[in-house]
Amino acid sequence: MSAPERIPPRSVTPPVNAAELLARGELTVRGRIREASNAALYCTVSYDGQDAACIYKPVAGERPLWDFPDGTLAQREVAAYEVSEATGWDLVPPTVLREGPYGEGMCQLWVEVTPEAELLALVDGEEPGPGWKAVGFAEVGEGRTALLVHADDERLRRLAVLDAVINNADRKGGHLLPTGEGRLYGIDHGVTFNAENKLRTLLWGWAGEPLTQEAADVLEGLRKGLAEGGPLTARLEPLITGAEIDATRARVGALLASGTHPEPSGEWPAIPWPPV
């Protein structure tokens, strides 16, 4: 993800406490992300001598969806961040719900990416090469097909587990942000936490494979945090419905019971469109 066009360059310093900066800082709109399906504004935020770039998505700019209640996407983005924090994997940039120039919305720290990092590819042949996992075949024009693959990367594998927990209905390639420091973040979590199975992702390469011990330990921690009166439950209650919290508990329990990464259900398109 790169800064939108016609936004003047601005020097920003990394925040010491990103969540506090995002929640309490002065928010200044610098431009709009034109490719976004909902209103997404590129901003700077300043507080107590610190500055950072961020994305602000006002609830007022959300498009209605047939399968999600109106005006809830910002809260779902924050809920995804809360679950990410509970895993300890730090897979979602700091995200808060706050008032802004256009009303309440989600505000998320801007992440500078490394364009050279290759996480997805289309390859000829029927099997992925070393270091890659197969997703499926894709039409590439003129009657040709190619095999869509993603990197066999532990950061992506963690993100696949997080997506299964939050029921991410839109994990596209453009939502993967590798950084120069070797980190990987996932963004755009507005269509998550539906009580019905909606998992759509490009990260099917581990489908049916055993979960790592690390993932099982993290899921056990989530199960405890999601108990009635648990700390994660308390953080999610202002953001999503009780039924959606119950469904999240059930997904965590199902993953622990099976001990494997989920497989496509066949009841819902498995891969988002467009995939990137």
Side-chain angles (χ1 to χ4, degrees):
M1 181 164 62
S2 57
E5 296 177 7
R6 292 201 291 271
I7 292 178
R10 177 180 172 87
S11 175
V12 296
T13 56
V16 175
N17 186 330
E20 182 180 27
L21 173 61
L22 292 171
R24 305 181 66 177
E26 179 182 358
L27 201 59
T28 303
V29 176
R30 303 289 175 179
R32 180 169 182 169
I33 311 299
R34 296 175 182 169
E35 315 88 65
S37 56
N38 296 291
L41 305 175
Y42 178 78
C43 302
T44 51
V45 62
S46 303
Y47 177 72
D48 197 24
Q50 292 191 87
D51 299 276
C54 61
I55 293 296
Y56 161 55
K57 296 182 181 179
V59 172
E62 295 178 5
R63 294 191 308 170
L65 298 172
W66 69 269
D67 53 348
F68 285 83
D70 293 350
T72 67
L73 304 191
Q75 292 95 320
R76 294 172 193 278
E77 295 234 32
V78 179
Y81 168 69
E82 293 291 354
V83 175
S84 169
E85 286 297 281
T87 66
W89 284 334
D90 193 22
L91 294 170
V92 179
T95 312
V96 303
L97 195 67
R98 60 162 291 169
E99 285 293 322
Y102 300 101
E104 186 179 59
M106 90 70 168
C107 190
Q108 184 175 83
L109 192 69
W110 180 270
V111 175
E112 293 292 345
V113 303
T114 302
E116 300 81 21
E118 191 173 19
L119 299 173
L120 298 164
L122 287 167
V123 298
D124 293 325
E126 298 186 357
E127 297 292 335
W132 295 92
K133 304 290 284 187
V135 179
F137 289 95
E139 295 285 343
V140 293
E142 299 181 355
R144 290 183 58 244
T145 60
L147 183 64
L148 177 63
V149 298
H150 65 66
D152 188 2
D153 185 310
E154 68 174 6
R155 302 170 302 172
L156 287 179
R157 191 166 191 171
R158 291 170 177 169
L159 195 57
V161 173
L162 177 66
D163 283 343
V165 170
I166 67 176
N167 198 15
N168 192 350
D170 196 32
R171 175 60 72 206
K172 297 176 180 176
H175 300 167
L176 305 173
L177 305 185
T179 74
E181 295 77 35
R183 304 298 306 273
L184 176 70
Y185 292 101
I187 60 166
D188 285 352
H189 297 109
V191 286
T192 50
F193 295 101
N194 200 299
E196 298 179 7
N197 180 19
K198 299 279 187 181
L199 185 60
R200 291 195 305 176
T201 176
L202 290 179
L203 304 180
W204 287 115
W206 297 282
E209 293 188 13
L211 295 166
T212 64
Q213 186 60 52
E214 177 195 47
D217 292 343
V218 164
L219 288 166
E220 187 59 49
L222 290 181
R223 175 154 62 182
K224 293 176 181 177
L226 285 166
E228 294 286 347
L232 182 54
T233 296
R235 291 196 292 273
L236 293 180
E237 283 176 337
L239 301 169
I240 59 177
T241 68
E244 289 167 340
I245 293 174
D246 288 343
T248 305
R249 289 190 189 107
R251 288 191 295 271
V252 170
L255 286 166
L256 284 167
S258 72
T260 61
H261 287 266
E263 298 182 78
S265 68
E267 300 173 356
W268 177 257
I271 296 177
W273 187 262
V276 178

